[in-house]
Amino acid sequence: MLAGLQRLSVRQWSLAGLAFCILMMLVALGLEHIGGLEPCPLCIFQRVAVLAAAAVFVIAAIHNPRGRVGAVIYTGLSLAAVLGGIGVAWRHLWLQSLPPDQVPSCGPGLDYMMDILPMRDVVSMVLSGSGECAEIDFLLLGISLPGWTLIGFVILALAPLGILLGAFRERRSSLNGSHRPA
């Protein structure tokens, strides 16, 4: 099975990653528009990380580089977006784990902050936490939404790691003289 996964191209791994990003966004938008759950600022930042990873996967799928350099670049970019999402989801879970007396007070809404503050200050304020981000509105199997999002990001990390694995497989094949032209 691992040998089969190693044979997947950058395009195939990227399309798999993109499909998973689409699934994550469909769940988020479904919970918002059908389930009535309003996203907090950290939820929105997690969505941005999913969209950033999706953008990299789209470009990687279109480009489909044959060489190791392109694969490594797309791995780095998509992994950066995924790791950013993991960091935000982890922070969100940490806020939800705080005792009520240690939860930060609710700040202004994200739209308001985006209108009046520079982006650096908005990011800093959102990551420092808000009381609304500490609320647990939904549990599935005892896990809150940022917990599920963290699991989703860990699964999503398999796509860039698969791209990298394929690049090293190609490199190893060419060193052994068994590289076949495409």
Side-chain angles (χ1 to χ4, degrees):
M1 183 169 141
L2 184 58
L5 292 176
Q6 287 179 336
R7 287 188 178 88
L8 295 179
S9 68
V10 171
R11 176 171 289 142
Q12 291 166 321
W13 277 112
S14 297
L15 290 174
L18 176 62
F20 199 76
C21 288
I22 291 169
L23 175 66
M24 288 178 74
M25 287 305 299
L26 286 174
V27 169
L29 293 172
L31 287 170
E32 178 181 354
H33 296 288
I34 297 169
L37 297 175
E38 197 64 34
C40 72
L42 286 175
C43 292
I44 293 170
F45 275 32
Q46 289 166 66
R47 289 181 185 186
V48 169
V50 171
L51 292 173
V56 174
F57 290 136
V58 165
I59 295 167
I62 292 169
H63 181 211
N64 194 30
R66 296 256 184 231
R68 191 178 69 207
V69 172
V72 169
I73 289 171
Y74 288 123
T75 294
L77 292 173
S78 56
L79 206 49
V82 170
L83 291 174
I86 286 172
V88 174
W90 193 277
R91 176 75 175 169
H92 200 165
L93 283 170
W94 176 79
L95 280 171
Q96 288 184 339
S97 73
L98 291 175
D101 63 327
Q102 293 180 13
V103 171
S105 62
C106 290
L110 185 59
D111 290 337
Y112 177 75
M113 288 190 287
M114 296 284 288
D115 286 342
I116 66 164
L117 296 172
M119 183 55 76
R120 181 188 70 233
D121 293 346
V122 172
V123 170
S124 175
M125 287 181 72
V126 169
L127 291 179
S128 66
S130 169
E132 68 179 306
C133 294
E135 293 176 18
I136 299 174
D137 296 329
F138 181 85
L139 290 173
L140 179 64
L141 302 174
I143 301 172
S144 67
L145 285 177
W148 283 109
T149 306
L150 178 63
I151 292 168
F153 278 120
V154 169
I155 293 169
L156 185 58
L158 296 175
L161 294 175
I163 292 171
L164 192 61
L165 180 68
F168 283 110
R169 177 202 46 88
E170 282 187 21
R171 171 76 172 153
R172 191 175 53 246
S173 298
S174 65
L175 289 176
N176 293 335
S178 61
H179 181 68
R180 288 172 279 170

